[in-house]
């Protein structure tokens, strides 16, 4: 439980911040920071392990994955990187207009990567992530309503040609879902 709080804090910092941060090896960012006035309204923590996590082609271990939805419809799959030299190392695959093909699959088009590290500028003492325009997709199998997610796979390439990959497999424990506040749905659901 002691490990979960810092991981959750790092994930929330990376998701609530208007920009993105860098990994242990700095990644140059050419994009101006995006201004956001959104609030996370749903957070789901998925326990398990990373079979693959690559940031700009470099492999890393990870601690956990969180799904965060904001009140403007943006979704992040945030990955807490297991980096002993940087407790603020978080990588997020971010996009909008996710779709469900059925009750147990979700697909999110990725349009940016959010990169956070201890070396990023701070606002109110917390690192502000850097943003990198990207294209890609994340796929999740499982269902938050049933509190069961099997896996999350993501693949993205940024506008500098760097590749990001994630294969996260659940350990089978129920997903911890927190609805922070009610907002309009942003998912395209053919089953409603």
């Amino acid at each position: 439980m002691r490990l979960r709080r810092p991981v959750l804090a790092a994930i929330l910092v990376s998701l609530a911040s208007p920009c993105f941060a860098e990994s242990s090896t700095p990644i140059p960012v050419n994009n101006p920071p995006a201004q956001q006035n959104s609030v996370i309204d749903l957070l789901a923590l998925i326990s398990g392990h990373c079979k693959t996590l690559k940031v700009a082609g470099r492999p890393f271990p990870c601690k956990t994955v969180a799904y965060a939805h904001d009140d403007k419809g943006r979704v992040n799959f945030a990955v807490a990187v297991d980096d002993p030299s940087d407790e603020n190392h978080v990588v997020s695959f971010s996009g909008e207009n996710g779709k469900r093909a059925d009750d147990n699959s979700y697909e999110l088009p990725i349009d940016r990567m959010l990169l956070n590290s201890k070396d990023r500028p701070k606002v109110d003492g917390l690192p502000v992530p850097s943003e990198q325009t990207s294209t890609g997709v994340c796929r999740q199998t499982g269902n938050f309503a049933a509190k069961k997610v099997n896996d999350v796979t993501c693949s993205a390439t940024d506008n500098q040609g760097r590749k990001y990959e994630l294969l996260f497999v659940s350990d089978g424990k129920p997903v911890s879902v927190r609805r922070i506040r009610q907002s309009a749905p942003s998912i395209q659901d053919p089953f409603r």
Side-chain angles (χ1 to χ4, degrees), residues 46-67:
I46 308 164
S47 64
H49 68 282
C50 283
K51 289 196 170 209
T52 303
L53 173 62
K54 291 185 180 177
V55 178
R58 184 175 163 205
F60 284 96
C62 80
K63 297 177 185 177
T64 191
V65 170
Y67 168 95

Side-chain angles (χ1 to χ4, degrees), residues 12-13 15 49 76-77 89-90 103-104 117 140 142 149 154 161 166 169 181 183:
L12 289 175
V13 166
L15 297 175
H49 68 282
N76 295 300
F77 280 102
H89 196 172
V90 177
D103 281 342
N104 289 309
S117 76
Q140 168 203 304
V149 169
C154 298
L166 171 68
V169 178
R181 70 183 213 186
S183 68

Side-chain angles (χ1 to χ4, degrees), residues 114-162:
L114 308 179
L115 309 168
N116 208 342
S117 76
K118 66 181 179 183
D119 299 324
R120 292 294 304 154
K122 293 181 170 61
V123 172
D124 295 328
L126 300 172
V128 176
S130 66
E131 178 177 329
Q132 192 67 38
T133 301
S134 303
T135 57
V137 67
C138 284
R139 291 179 178 91
Q140 168 203 304
T141 60
N143 185 312
F144 288 139
K147 296 192 176 193
K148 177 151 176 54
V149 169
N150 300 322
D151 56 47
V152 177
T153 60
C154 298
S155 178
T157 303
D158 70 22
N159 61 357
Q160 301 295 310
R162 294 178 290 246

